[in-house]
Amino acid sequence: MTAAGIARLAGVGRAAVSNWRRRHADFPQPVGGTETSPAFALGEVEQWLRDQGKLAEVPLRERVWQQLVGHPAGAAAALRQAGAVLLLVRDRPAAWRQLRAADDAELTGELPAA
């Protein structure tokens, strides 16, 4: 997630996130992105915000959004996979019951055929 996403999550401006990064040695380190637009792991940021008393709960829509934009293959690929799962659940519930216990890697591999 970006600094803008962190700001949105915590209900503050981006300047506050920049200040937190400078002032708190324990602020999560970037896991990707660029020097000018670093990306942070949602789980690490969420825990840091909770530890600081700056976050009670991550809204579901924010969690979903961060999962989509943080997908290794990109948001479009994540949306395709999510759509495929929803169609499978609706149109072939028996097939979904067999696949739902699979981990993400297995599910990703099985979805195109299903």
Side-chain angles (χ1 to χ4, degrees):
M1 72 183 318
T2 64
I6 296 169
R8 188 174 52 250
L9 187 64
V12 299
R14 283 187 286 175
V17 176
S18 181
N19 287 336
W20 295 340
R21 289 186 66 204
R22 280 196 317 274
R23 294 179 182 164
H24 297 276
D26 63 337
F27 191 85
Q29 294 298 307
V31 295
T34 65
E35 188 73 26
T36 57
S37 182
F40 301 88
L42 173 61
E44 292 177 16
V45 169
E46 184 178 353
Q47 186 61 54
W48 187 87
L49 289 170
R50 278 204 179 94
D51 292 347
Q52 300 296 316
K54 299 178 185 319
L55 179 68
E57 186 58 45
V58 176
L60 180 58
R61 71 173 180 233
E62 184 66 25
R63 185 176 299 283
V64 170
W65 174 250
Q66 292 303 329
Q67 291 293 323
L68 289 174
V69 299
H71 191 281
L79 285 171
R80 281 192 303 274
Q81 289 176 354
V85 168
L86 291 172
L87 287 171
L88 188 62
V89 168
R90 185 190 73 186
D91 296 340
R92 298 183 52 215
W96 169 245
R97 282 192 292 277
Q98 291 178 335
L99 285 175
R100 70 179 171 200
D103 65 25
D104 288 348
E106 287 177 286
L107 186 56
T108 300
E110 295 291 330
L111 276 177

